[in-house]
């Protein structure tokens, strides 16, 4: 260990005495710059900042029976492994047993936990997620179970930040300030040193400024390095604690690879190289050397900016460069002021004649003026972009983040900008344009005041970087909602989606870019088309987009189904709504119209009316129109009963015909799946992808497995390996249901493949050869029902092995015969 320390000391001395070649140092600089460039180009946004949009159950509600699960809906997709839940009783004790149900294969916006059995009382469901940059987003869902006092639910608070994490967050904030301040000292020193190298008559005062700049460069680089080291340590520790897998080594590895640990360590290494190089750099005799060093420092800033708010929340790597320019501009503005403030407070400086001091400062700031004006312009442009990106229309929301941002803007507008203008008139560009010379003493005190104000802005900036810009609103957010009694149940009156725009999207492209709220976005868009141009125009546009839009191709039936709901409500008459052409996408439009119609009945009325609703549609018995109506009944019953699948089946059983019963139950099971995909609580589980097919009555197992693979793939994903996983699950079900499961896989494969024959053939071939025929049958049926024609189904049947073609053609003809 002693030999390593002495070796490092010798390295420092060698660098300071000039024994390390310029070529070696230049190569190191190029390497660091290249690394920063590649990092900026390759970096992608990380969901470090989010906010909670909605919870099921809602915050501050009282339920007669304890909830079985908690659903958290976030504004941005996050890593489920970083979300943790504590169930806290009224006495502060932890209730063991919450289990994360959401799969951890990819970032998710909807996170689910199963809850342990809860006795009567008030509980806090305290959740927390830690982003890859160490930022914590936390909250609580307060619920009452059984007979409880509503006031106790309203007043209860459970969540507190652990002391260790509070200390780490403060340490990270202090480190950010050291990083900003050190960067400004380095930038300012290099500018002053470059000015000192300009040819012309020197003066003792000028030499004093240059000596101070040399010292400031060394000390600033050391301060910058310490700041990055402390921040890296605090951030990596916070992220490591955030995973809580039970294995410290595994959590640390995740913090380094999935988090920003490696980026921070790279920044620490680069800052260490600057510390080593600073003594030699301070004695540079060439402006070119200082320019190279400046580019290297800017590369270091880029590495640090890769973990900033702007970079994290931007949709592309451009945000990293914006943040880099912003930090660099701030350092160029403040840096020379720091060096001047330090130098002018020294005894040797004060010993020089006032005229010499004033002339030296005029010369310095005359050269520094263009740099300051350029830095100001960059600060305005990049700051405006970042302010809009991070706060936007919520600037006056009253959150901690926006309040700190307003303080920063006020300091800039009320103090720094007037002082900067005044100093420019006395010493900078404006002073150089004045014909007469200013004989007054240099405004040293106001220069120090401007430096102090800028240093204060850095403090606010360090605080801002520790706050979550995605959380708006005043104070406690959902915790301050009012509890009210509605229909015998206690509910919260605040709207968790109040901050989202109510205006319909202007184009489908707006919806494609969504990571959260995509189904509602598409629904709003097509509802607006229906209101302006007619339901048939909206259906035709959906049908056309099913050829190119991945979401609509996969969920085409549900998209037109939602449109049917909206059309029935808009036209005010089910008969009028059904006159519009709605056969594409499995006639989901018609299903939606019928669903809305029966949703208007109460439970008892609906039970009595069920056999009569589809009488007109049944005049052509077992036709496609007949099927659409009774299938839509199943959807409607589920909507009427708030997603209770097992409660919906008895309503279908009032239908006198077995075929009608099967079609109705199939509609209820389809609604069970599509509602779950939209974040609505239904009778499905993420820890058992076969449920409820493994507990439903024997009479309805066929109908259940005909839709269950949609739920499997929704959780597993839509890559080739995910389809193979789903086939493996089908292979594990009870023997007489495997063929149903494979037919359902064919339907999903056909939809997710945009009806592309080659992909359907390839994916169906991933299953057991003994059941692949059933997969092609399901794909053929889907092609006919989706296109309302046989062209795509025929192309598919022609492309599969000859031994399976008869079954494929038979399915095609059977489906076409219902039209």
């Amino acid at each position: 260990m002693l030999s390593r320390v002495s070796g490092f000391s010798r390295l420092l001395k060698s660098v300071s005495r000039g024994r390390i070649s310029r070529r070696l140092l230049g190569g190191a600089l190029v390497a660091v710059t290249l690394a920063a460039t590649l990092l900026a180009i390759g970096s992608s946004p990380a969901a470090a900042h989010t906010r909670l949009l909605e919870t099921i159950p809602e915050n501050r509600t009282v339920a007669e029976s304890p909830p079985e699960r908690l659903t958290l809906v976030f504004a941005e997709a996050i890593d489920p492994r970083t979300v943790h839940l504590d169930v806290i009783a009224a006495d502060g004790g932890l209730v063991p047993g919450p289990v994360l149900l959401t799969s951890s294969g990819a970032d998710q916006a909807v996170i689910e936990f199963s809850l342990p059995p809860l006795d009567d009382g008030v509980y806090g469901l305290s959740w927390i997620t830690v982003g890859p940059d160490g930022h914590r987003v936390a909250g609580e869902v307060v619920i009452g179970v059984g007979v409880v006092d509503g006031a106790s639910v309203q007043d209860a608070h459970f969540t507190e930040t652990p002391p260790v994490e509070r200390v780490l967050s403060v340490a990270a904030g202090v480190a950010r300030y050291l990083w900003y301040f050190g960067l400004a000292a380095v930038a300012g020193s290099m500018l002053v040193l470059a000015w000192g190298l300009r040819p012309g008559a020197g003066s003792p005062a000028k030499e004093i400024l240059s000596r101070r700049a040399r010292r400031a460069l060394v000390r600033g680089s050391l301060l910058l390095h310490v700041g990055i080291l402390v921040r890296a340590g605090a951030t990596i520790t916070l992220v490591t604690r955030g995973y809580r897998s039970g294995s410290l080594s595994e959590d640390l590895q995740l913090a380094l690879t999935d988090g920003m640990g490696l980026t921070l360590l790279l920044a620490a290494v680069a800052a260490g190289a600057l510390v080593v190089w600073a003594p030699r750099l301070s004695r540079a005799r060439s402006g070119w050397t200082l320019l190279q060093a400046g580019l290297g420092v800017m590369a270091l800033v880029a590495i640090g900016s890769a973990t900033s708010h702007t970079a994290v929340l931007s949709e592309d790597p451009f945000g990293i460069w914006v943040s880099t320019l912003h930090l660099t501009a701030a350092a160029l503005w403040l840096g020379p002021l720091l060096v001047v403030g330090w130098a002018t407070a020294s005894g040797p400086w004060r010993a020089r004649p006032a005229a010499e001091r004033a002339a030296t400062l005029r010369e310095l700031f005359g050269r520094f003026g263009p740099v300051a004006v350029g830095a100001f312009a960059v600060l305005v442009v990049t700051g405006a972009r970042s302010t809009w990106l991070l706060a936007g229309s919520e600037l006056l929301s009253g959150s901690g983040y926006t309040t700190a941002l307003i303080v920063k803007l006020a300091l800039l507008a009320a103090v720094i900008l007037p002082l900067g203008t005044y100093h420019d008139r006395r010493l900078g560009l404006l002073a150089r344009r004045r014909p007469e010379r200013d004989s007054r003493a240099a405004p040293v005190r106001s220069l120090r005041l401007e430096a102090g104000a800028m240093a204060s802005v850095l403090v606010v900036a360090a605080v801002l970087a520790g706050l979550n810009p995605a959380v708006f609103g005043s104070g406690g957010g959902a915790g301050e909602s009012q509890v009210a009694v509605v229909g015998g149940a206690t509910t919260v009156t605040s709207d968790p989606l109040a901050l989202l725009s109510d205006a319909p999207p202007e184009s489908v492209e707006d919806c494609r870019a969504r990571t959260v709220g995509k189904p509602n976005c598409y629904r709003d868009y097509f509802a607006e088309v229906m209101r302006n141009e007619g339901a048939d125009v909206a259906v035709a546009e959906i049908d056309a987009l099913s050829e190119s839009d991945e979401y609509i191709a996969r969920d085409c039936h549900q998209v037109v189904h939602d449109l049917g709901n909206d059309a029935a409500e808009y036209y005010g008459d089910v008969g009028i709504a059904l006159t519009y052409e709605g056969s594409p996408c499995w006639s989901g439009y018609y299903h939606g119209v019928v669903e809305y119609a029966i949703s208007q009945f109460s439970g008892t009325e609906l039970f009595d009316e069920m056999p009569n609703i589809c009488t007109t549609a049944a005049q052509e018995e077992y036709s496609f129109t007949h099927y659409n109506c009774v299938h839509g009944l199943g959807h409607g019953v589920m909507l009427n009963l708030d997603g209770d699948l097992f409660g919906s089946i008895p309503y279908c059983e009032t239908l006198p015909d077995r075929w009608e019963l099967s079609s109705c139950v199939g509609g209820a099971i389809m609604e069970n799946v599509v509602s779950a995909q939209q974040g609505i609580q239904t009778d499905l589980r993420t820890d058992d992808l076969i449920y409820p097919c493994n507990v439903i009555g024997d009479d309805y197992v066929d109908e259940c497995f005909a839709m269950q693979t949609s739920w499997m793939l929704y959780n597993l994903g839509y890559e080739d390996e995910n389809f193979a996983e789903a086939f493996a699950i089908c292979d594990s079900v009870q023997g007489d249901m495997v063929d149903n499961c494979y037919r359902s896989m064919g339907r999903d494969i056909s939809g997710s493949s945009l009806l592309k024959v080659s992909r359907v053939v390839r994916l169906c071939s991933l299953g057991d050869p003994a059941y692949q025929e059933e997969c092609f049958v399901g794909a053929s049926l889907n092609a006919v029902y989706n296109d309302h024609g046989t062209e795509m189904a025929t192309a598919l049947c022609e492309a599969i092995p000859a031994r399976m073609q008869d079954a494929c053609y038979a399915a095609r003809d059977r489906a076409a015969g219902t039209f």
Side-chain angles (χ1 to χ4, degrees), residues 501-507 510 521 524-525 527-528 531:
S501 172
D502 292 328
E506 296 182 359
S507 68
D510 294 342
C521 181
D524 290 345
Y525 171 74
E528 188 70 7
R531 287 188 287 268

Side-chain angles (χ1 to χ4, degrees), residues 197 279-286 289-290:
L197 292 174
R280 177 183 176 86
L281 182 62
S282 68
R283 292 190 298 276
R285 292 292 180 264
S286 165
T289 301
L290 291 171

Side-chain angles (χ1 to χ4, degrees), residues 299-551:
L300 173 59
V301 176
I303 299 174
S305 296
T307 63
S308 69
H309 283 328
T310 307
V312 168
L313 293 177
S314 290
E315 295 181 356
D316 53 52
F318 180 66
I320 295 177
W321 294 112
V322 170
S323 181
T324 300
L325 290 174
H326 191 75
L327 277 176
T328 303
L332 290 175
W333 186 323
L334 172 60
L337 295 174
L338 290 177
V339 176
V340 168
W342 185 32
T344 56
S346 66
W349 174 268
R350 290 197 297 266
R352 304 310 303 164
E356 179 186 334
R357 287 180 288 169
T360 301
L361 290 180
R362 276 195 295 269
E363 181 186 348
L364 171 63
F365 285 101
R367 297 296 178 184
F368 172 61
V371 177
V373 171
F376 174 74
V378 171
L379 280 172
V380 169
V381 173
T382 57
R385 179 188 184 275
S386 299
T387 298
W388 178 253
L389 178 67
L390 301 178
S393 60
E394 304 294 338
L395 183 59
L396 302 179
S397 66
S399 71
Y401 183 85
T402 56
T403 299
L405 186 56
I406 290 173
V407 171
K408 177 183 176 182
L409 296 175
L411 277 172
L412 288 169
V415 180
I416 295 173
L417 182 58
L419 283 174
T421 304
Y422 170 70
H423 293 142
D424 194 53
R425 289 175 59 86
R426 291 287 309 278
L427 303 169
L429 282 177
L430 296 178
R432 293 170 61 184
R433 295 178 181 178
R434 294 168 62 182
E436 73 280 2
R437 298 285 292 174
D438 191 341
S439 59
R440 291 175 291 174
V444 173
R445 290 185 179 179
S446 59
L447 286 171
R448 292 175 186 165
L449 178 60
E450 184 180 350
M454 277 294 293
S456 299
V457 169
L458 294 187
V459 173
V460 179
V463 172
L464 280 170
L467 298 175
N468 182 11
V471 176
F472 300 118
S474 56
E480 296 184 0
S481 303
Q482 297 298 311
V483 174
V485 177
V486 181
T490 307
T491 60
V492 67
T493 60
S494 65
D495 180 6
L497 303 178
L499 295 175
L500 301 183
S501 172
D502 292 328
E506 296 182 359
S507 68
V508 172
E509 283 69 25
D510 294 342
C511 302
R512 286 179 182 148
R514 293 279 187 98
T515 55
V516 171
K518 184 173 289 189
N520 289 334
C521 181
Y522 278 100
R523 180 169 185 168
D524 290 345
Y525 171 74
F526 291 117
E528 188 70 7
V529 173
M530 178 265 297
R531 287 188 287 268
N532 293 330
E533 304 178 55
D536 53 342
V537 175
V539 171
E541 183 173 355
I542 295 169
D543 187 29
L545 285 169
S546 68
E547 303 273 339
S548 58
D549 187 290
E550 182 180 354
Y551 173 81

Side-chain angles (χ1 to χ4, degrees), residues 105-252:
D107 288 356
Q108 304 281 349
V110 179
I111 307 296
E112 287 189 304
F113 288 88
S114 66
L115 299 177
L118 301 176
D119 298 328
D120 288 2
V122 179
Y123 297 89
L125 310 180
S126 177
W127 59 269
I128 179 175
T129 176
V130 179
D133 62 350
H135 283 85
R136 302 170 69 256
V137 181
E140 63 183 17
V141 180
V142 179
I143 60 171
V145 177
V147 180
V148 296
D149 180 14
S152 64
V153 177
Q154 168 65 30
D155 298 335
H157 294 281
F158 296 86
T159 302
E160 292 185 0
T161 303
V164 173
E165 296 188 4
R166 197 184 300 273
V167 170
L168 289 171
S169 297
V170 171
V174 173
R176 278 189 292 269
Y177 179 73
L178 294 178
W179 147 249
Y180 297 155
F181 196 88
L183 176 63
V186 168
S189 301
M190 293 170 65
L191 280 175
V192 174
L193 287 173
W195 163 75
L197 292 174
R198 289 182 59 84
S203 68
K206 187 174 183 179
E207 179 57 32
I208 291 171
L209 283 178
S210 296
R211 283 201 304 268
R212 289 290 174 170
R214 294 187 190 101
R215 296 181 188 176
L217 177 59
V218 174
R219 296 178 184 181
S221 62
L222 183 60
L223 197 63
L224 184 152
H225 189 211
V226 170
I228 292 179
L229 283 176
V230 173
R231 185 187 171 202
T235 300
I236 293 172
T237 304
L238 280 168
V239 177
T240 301
R241 288 172 57 87
Y243 281 104
R244 303 185 193 178
S245 68
S247 169
L248 178 60
S249 60
E250 181 179 343
D251 291 346
L252 179 59

